Amino acid sequence: MSGTASRAFRLRSSSHRIKDERVAEILPVWQAGLGRMQAEVARLIFTTGELPKWVDAKGWDGGLSQRQWDSVRAQSIAQHKSWLGNCERVFRRTVAASAITGQVRKDLFYVNKSRAWYLPVEGDGVAITSKRSIPAETMRLARRIMKHVRTRVGRPDMRRLRTMVMDGKVAKVETPNGHHGDYWVRIATLIAGKPVVIPLHAHRAFLDRLAQPGAKLANHCQVHVNTDGTVDYRLVIHTPKNPARTGGREVGIDWGMSTLFATSDGHLHGRGFLDRLRAYDARLQPLMAALQRNGIKLRDSRRYRALVQDVRGFITNEVNRCLNRIIADDSIDTLVIEKLNFQGMAREGRLSKRMRRLLSNTGRGAVNTKLASLAEDQGVATVEVNPAHTSRECTGCGYTSKTNRTTQTKFRCGFCGKTVHADIGGARTVLGRSQNSRHWTDRNRGQILTMLDEEFRSRWGLGFADVDQRRNTRGSRVAPTSATPATQANAFPRSA
Ligand SMILES: [Zn+2]
């Protein structure tokens, strides 16, 4: 991993309301501009087959200056770039799960990797590079697949975006000598020659980031107009990405409710997580009930908004704190994780509906943001494996059964008798899946169970009936047969 990492920070502004109003006035004009630009960018993608680097907006007017159009164009192209990235991922998964084989399959992956789905077909093929050309028929197939992909990856309607990404030509970032803020952003308004100057105040996280070696303040500003008319201003800091950690080892992580993170090294992080959420829930529910009784909308209540803010802050801090603790061990260069399922977790935790939604929305965002920043700042990679049956699979012998999990925290294998803390066992299974190339991200739960059973049977020379009979014997542990003594099973741990 190399290049630059960019992060945006919202800074407190001390501008007059009247200035914010003049900035907010730009939004509808900007949105209309984005809509027009978006249509043009899309037209170019679908006719030339390539994401344009430039769109000529001369004479478009529409209330924006040429410099403002430059920013609108850059924002629109950046948005399409990320949209194409999403299409590429879904396309790859679609082909991987399909019955297409041989050269056509290889060609489709190649077309996808080159994002060449819409290159015009002339004659009997398309030359993607001087060395490789793709038959016309495969190109037509690629477009049919893209048609399906696009029903799943909708293009965002940019006319509804409330963030204007303004580059330095229309939002100049300056460092003043006076005391009215740490930065000024000089923003061009809808009236030529009448910019407004917004004072912004730096905070700790922003300054820490800026103090990193090689950090640079970008000369542009993200201006977000909230629905209540207030305006948020974000400045962006570029930092060089740290080189990837190499030569290190992988650690498996299991997410849970009673313990937020358990690792394959045997550590439990965030043990009080669920208790704290329940305590918040005990305050949230009566407050919501009282507001409803009095006919007050939730979002109109200051207390409610503050409490929700607290809960979000707690979840985010807890995720960051635990992941920082885990990677403090710098022999670790890769985190192996299960595909996130906060909704499932939240159901287990017996929380209110509102709290479950808070956890699932905030938790996912916090984890994704943190993992992205670990990759950028620390070079720690993330590998995802399928979570199906990880809590039921024995790391000792491979036997997978619901009855292995005797309580929320206890795992006791019904075949080899191995006992382990359930969450730590789960983390070890997660790690084992990565180390043995059993990521299985495209398989469903049933397919995975079939594969686990197959591995287990062939490992111990058992028949179908043996496995079924064991699984159906609930409660008591099934005695191992003579061919599979507990000692022998433990002598071949899967992750070794
Ligand atoms: Zn076992």
Side-chain angles (χ1 to χ4, degrees), residues 199-238:
L200 298 179
H201 303 272
H203 51 68
R204 179 72 190 279
F206 177 84
L207 293 172
D208 283 352
R209 184 81 176 178
L210 202 53
Q212 283 184 14
K216 248 183 77 191
L217 181 64
N219 189 20
H220 69 239
C221 185
Q222 298 178 1
V223 179
H224 184 87
V225 182
N226 298 300
T227 43
D228 63 4
T230 57
V231 183
D232 294 338
Y233 301 90
R234 287 185 171 78
L235 296 187
V236 177
I237 296 175
H238 298 308

Side-chain angles (χ1 to χ4, degrees), residues 151-162:
T151 62
R152 307 213 5 226
V153 189
R155 276 193 313 138
D157 184 352
M158 296 189 72
R159 289 168 304 179
R160 293 198 185 150
L161 290 188
R162 303 192 66 89

Side-chain angles (χ1 to χ4, degrees), residues 28 39 70 116 128 145 193 222 228 266 286 388 413 440:
D70 287 345
I128 293 181
I145 296 171
Q222 298 178 1
D228 63 4
C413 179
W440 294 335

Side-chain angles (χ1 to χ4, degrees), residues 392 394 396-401 403-404 411-418 456-457 459-462 466-467 469-471 476-490:
R392 298 170 176 183
C394 175
C397 67
Y399 178 55
T400 303
S401 169
T403 54
N404 284 349
F411 181 99
R412 181 182 173 81
C413 179
F415 184 69
C416 72
K418 184 178 172 118
F456 175 69
R457 282 196 313 272
R459 187 169 179 189
W460 302 109
L462 299 171
D466 289 310
V467 178
Q469 182 251 319
R470 278 168 211 286
R471 194 170 283 140
S476 65
R477 179 187 157 206
V478 180
T481 63
S482 59
T484 57
T487 47
Q488 190 185 338
N490 285 327

Side-chain angles (χ1 to χ4, degrees), residues 132-197:
R132 184 133 181 200
S133 61
I134 305 291
E137 202 171 320
T138 307
M139 290 303 291
R140 280 193 289 273
L141 179 57
R143 289 191 187 196
R144 280 209 302 279
I145 296 171
M146 266 307 268
K147 202 170 166 188
H148 160 76
V149 167
R150 281 168 56 195
T151 62
R152 307 213 5 226
V153 189
R155 276 193 313 138
D157 184 352
M158 296 189 72
R159 289 168 304 179
R160 293 198 185 150
L161 290 188
R162 303 192 66 89
T163 299
M164 301 180 275
V165 180
M166 298 179 169
D167 70 26
K169 284 183 286 183
V170 290
K172 192 158 188 273
V173 182
E174 299 167 353
T175 318
N177 296 320
H179 296 286
H180 301 287
D182 304 306
Y183 296 95
W184 283 348
V185 186
R186 187 180 298 273
I187 295 178
T189 61
L190 294 176
I191 305 160
K194 300 264 182 195
V196 291
V197 177

Side-chain angles (χ1 to χ4, degrees), residues 41-52 80 83-84 87-88 91 108 110-122 126-128 134 138-151 153 155:
V41 170
R43 191 186 66 78
L44 288 167
I45 290 175
F46 297 138
T47 52
T48 69
E50 285 172 80
L51 179 67
H80 280 81
W83 175 69
L84 291 177
C87 288
E88 188 189 326
F91 189 105
L108 285 174
Y110 188 77
V111 169
N112 187 50
K113 188 120 205 352
S114 322
R115 300 188 182 178
W117 320 283
Y118 294 108
L119 281 187
V121 180
E122 284 157 16
V126 174
I128 293 181
I134 305 291
T138 307
M139 290 303 291
R140 280 193 289 273
L141 179 57
R143 289 191 187 196
R144 280 209 302 279
I145 296 171
M146 266 307 268
K147 202 170 166 188
H148 160 76
V149 167
R150 281 168 56 195
T151 62
V153 189
R155 276 193 313 138

